Amino acid sequence: MASGKVKPNLLPQDLATLNVNELTPLTPYVISRQATINIGTIGHVAHGKSTVVKAISGVQTVRFTSEFKRNITIKLGYANAKIFKCDNSECPRPGCYKSYRSNTEDHPNCERPGCGGKMNLLRHVSFVDCPGHDVLMATMLNGAAVMDAALLLIAGNESCPQPQTSEHIAAIEIMNLKNIIILQNKIDLVKEAAAQEQYGQILKFVQGTIAEGCPIIPISAQMKYNIDVICEYIVKKIPVPPRDFTSEPRMIVIRSFDVNKPGSRVDEIKGGVAGGSILKGVLKIGDEIEVRPGVISKELDGKMKCSPIFSKIVSLFAEENELQYAVPGGLIGVGTKIDPTLCRADRLVGQVLGAVGKLPEVYTTLEVNFFLLRRLLGVKSEGDKQNKVKKLSKDDTLMVNIGSTSTGCRVIAVKHDLAKLALLTPVCTQEGEKIALSRRVDKNWRLIFINSQFKDYVLSCGLTFI
């Protein structure tokens, strides 16, 4: 599965000398090849999320025909970028900060005429490009499960806030995502007075939210104006997240696919590939792995049966960069010996991959302590009555997001702030996992409740497991 392209001067990785106790998110041998910080792009539809990712990383995250036709993001997009700073002290900021593609060498020359300095690699980040359309809120929540920080896009040529701007802010707020940079995009389309007026609207909108006090940067993603300022703020304002390198590895699967071309000979067939973000531990080539829940089937009596998938890692990739080992952060492609038909067309999405026998249990029923949002977010309505969230009742059908899993559920019982949920498909999870519930309102799923890892609102998984 190795790429045939000539690789630039990236630091080599050697399993023989690997000591996981010495690894950090900024270890040169790690960030030379792999992103270690996940940054999401959130905001209303058509506010420039995919465009700003392309401006920073050089990667077009819109890849599907349906996305090109409609000019919107439908599936989660991913792109890695390296952020550098010139070592010449006379190189002025913010121009001394620069971003390049993930496979760029670690010390390129500074592009400023007459500088003569070398660029030093400071960060290797992975962008999670979320859809902004209201009907794709579940996809955005899946992306939020792996974010360490977020870029909130607000178009300068529209009033603030737009419906999904509010909904996305609420989602990341209750998911406790504190590191946010606000980008006032499309600044080239408005006059200065209009930009100043909207700046005041943004300040008023974020007041009292988790984004209060966050930096607001005027940019034009299309013209690549102030992209160097974003790079500087990513380095200075977004702290390096703490990572657990020593625990048993665990990865949530966000994508999966079959890399074999039609007509491949039997001896040329390769195993399926699972793409996702490692939550903790280090995955290495040659590791024996387990995927849960695995293959889900129904027995004759109607009961669910889950058969975990056991396999071996044969390759690791971060975009075009080949890895010997992969650490938490960034999107990793794990080449396995799994039957490719089980991985085709995102069939493993929502599953958990990790060390054999070390993964959490699989559950079909959950008990949650919940609190409902006071009003529906992302809904335009004249009266406040329509925007109020109705109380949960028995037999309600909801959509639940746990990690990267999206599935339907039915409310079995409700008592005060405790609800018992029967899931349509089993999930591999554990107590303290983040969970979000959405209810269908006017043909769309609307967020009504998010529960995070707070002591008062923990996810209890002690009821049913397979």
Side-chain angles (χ1 to χ4, degrees):
M1 292 180 63
S3 174
K5 296 179 182 178
V6 177
K7 295 296 179 184
N9 298 321
L10 303 179
L11 291 177
Q13 293 184 341
D14 188 0
L15 286 174
T17 59
L18 174 63
N19 184 351
V20 294
N21 295 307
E22 296 177 354
L23 291 179
T24 72
L26 298 181
T27 301
Y29 292 96
V30 173
I31 63 169
S32 176
R33 292 174 176 266
Q34 182 199 329
T36 53
I37 302 173
N38 296 319
I39 300 177
T41 56
I42 61 173
H44 193 67
V45 63
H47 277 204
K49 297 180 290 297
S50 301
T51 310
V52 81
V53 170
K54 186 180 179 183
I56 298 172
S57 68
V59 177
Q60 172 66 270
T61 57
V62 177
R63 295 189 174 105
F64 297 90
T65 306
S66 55
E67 294 179 316
F68 278 111
K69 284 181 180 177
R70 299 174 64 185
N71 197 29
I72 62 170
T73 300
I74 296 174
K75 295 192 175 187
L76 289 173
Y78 301 92
N80 293 349
K82 287 179 174 178
I83 297 177
F84 298 84
K85 184 183 180 183
C86 181
D87 61 5
N88 185 351
S89 58
E90 296 182 3
C91 199
R93 54 172 291 273
C96 59
Y97 290 88
K98 205 79 175 171
S99 62
Y100 295 98
R101 291 180 74 112
S102 177
N103 59 356
T104 305
E105 62 177 297
D106 295 336
H107 296 285
N109 295 320
C110 181
E111 293 181 356
R112 189 173 71 90
C115 175
K118 284 276 188 182
M119 306 296 281
N120 290 327
L121 177 60
L122 300 182
R123 298 285 189 276
H124 197 164
V125 300
S126 180
F127 290 100
V128 184
D129 185 23
C130 294
H133 204 283
D134 58 350
V135 301
L136 301 169
M137 189 64 191
T139 309
M140 180 269 163
L141 292 170
N142 288 348
V146 298
M147 291 180 194
D148 300 307
L151 302 179
L152 173 62
L153 272 290
I154 298 176
N157 59 345
E158 295 183 19
S159 60
C160 177
Q162 292 292 310
Q164 269 56 60
T165 310
S166 306
E167 199 167 20
H168 286 193
I169 275 282
I172 64 169
E173 182 164 10
I174 311 176
M175 283 190 166
N176 211 25
L177 192 65
K178 296 177 180 177
N179 303 308
I180 303 165
I181 297 174
I182 301 170
L183 305 180
Q184 188 182 10
N185 193 21
K186 305 187 182 182
I187 211 73
D188 54 317
L189 301 181
V190 296
K191 293 182 179 178
E192 186 178 345
Q196 288 282 7
E197 182 184 347
Q198 200 213 34
Y199 177 78
Q201 293 177 355
I202 296 171
L203 288 176
K204 187 177 179 182
F205 164 61
V206 299
Q207 197 170 2
T209 71
I210 202 164
E212 186 173 6
C214 292
I216 302 172
I217 307 173
I219 68 162
S220 170
Q222 199 73 49
M223 308 289 289
K224 295 190 177 180
Y225 172 70
N226 267 359
I227 297 301
D228 48 4
V229 180
I230 301 175
C231 295
E232 180 180 2
Y233 272 70
I234 287 174
V235 172
K236 292 184 175 179
K237 297 293 184 182
I238 297 178
V240 178
R243 299 294 192 198
D244 180 2
F245 297 97
T246 56
S247 297
E248 295 291 347
R250 186 183 303 172
M251 181 181 98
I252 55 174
V253 180
I254 304 173
R255 315 168 66 178
S256 70
F257 40 89
D258 173 9
V259 295
N260 299 293
K261 295 179 180 178
S264 297
R265 287 168 28 198
V266 174
D267 58 342
E268 295 174 340
I269 291 179
K270 297 169 182 173
V273 176
S277 193
I278 300 174
L279 301 178
K280 61 179 182 177
V282 178
L283 287 177
K284 311 179 200 67
I285 289 181
D287 280 358
E288 299 288 337
I289 56 168
E290 178 181 359
V291 179
R292 289 190 183 182
V295 180
I296 302 169
S297 57
K298 274 192 177 181
E299 296 183 322
L300 293 175
D301 58 1
K303 288 185 178 179
M304 289 273 191
K305 181 184 177 183
C306 294
S307 303
I309 302 169
F310 298 91
S311 188
K312 187 177 182 179
I313 297 176
V314 295
S315 64
L316 291 167
F317 278 86
E319 284 194 353
E320 295 178 1
N321 299 337
E322 194 172 354
L323 310 173
Q324 293 296 309
Y325 53 86
V327 303
L331 187 76
I332 302 300
V334 181
T336 69
K337 292 185 176 181
I338 297 173
D339 183 346
T341 58
L342 296 176
C343 301
R344 186 174 296 158
D346 288 340
R347 289 180 186 175
L348 287 186
V349 169
Q351 309 246 4
V352 180
L353 181 153
V356 176
K358 302 295 183 181
L359 293 177
E361 298 288 356
V362 177
Y363 300 91
T364 56
T365 309
L366 301 176
E367 259 189 24
V368 294
N369 287 326
F370 68 90
F371 63 99
L372 296 175
L373 299 180
R374 284 175 294 179
R375 62 185 181 85
L376 288 172
L377 299 162
V379 180
K380 281 187 174 178
S381 131
E382 294 179 4
D384 292 336
K385 214 168 189 181
Q386 286 180 307
N387 285 350
K388 286 187 178 178
V389 176
K390 294 179 183 177
K391 291 183 178 179
L392 285 187
S393 56
K394 189 178 177 181
D395 293 327
D396 271 359
T397 301
L398 306 172
M399 180 180 68
V400 60
N401 288 79
I402 306 173
S404 65
T405 305
S406 285
T407 185
C409 70
R410 183 173 57 86
V411 180
I412 302 174
V414 182
K415 187 176 181 182
H416 304 302
D417 62 346
L418 185 69
K420 188 174 178 181
L421 309 175
L423 305 175
L424 294 182
T425 55
V427 297
C428 177
T429 187
Q430 63 183 7
E431 188 171 327
E433 197 76 63
K434 296 174 182 177
I435 177 173
L437 289 179
S438 304
R439 176 185 278 146
R440 188 177 281 278
V441 178
D442 296 332
K443 298 182 181 180
N444 296 331
W445 292 103
R446 296 292 182 187
L447 189 65
I448 62 165
F449 146 62
I450 295 184
N451 183 5
S452 197
Q453 295 180 347
F454 302 119
K455 288 182 180 179
D456 296 334
Y457 307 108
V458 295
L459 180 65
S460 175
C461 300
L463 291 173
T464 308
F465 64 89
I466 301 172

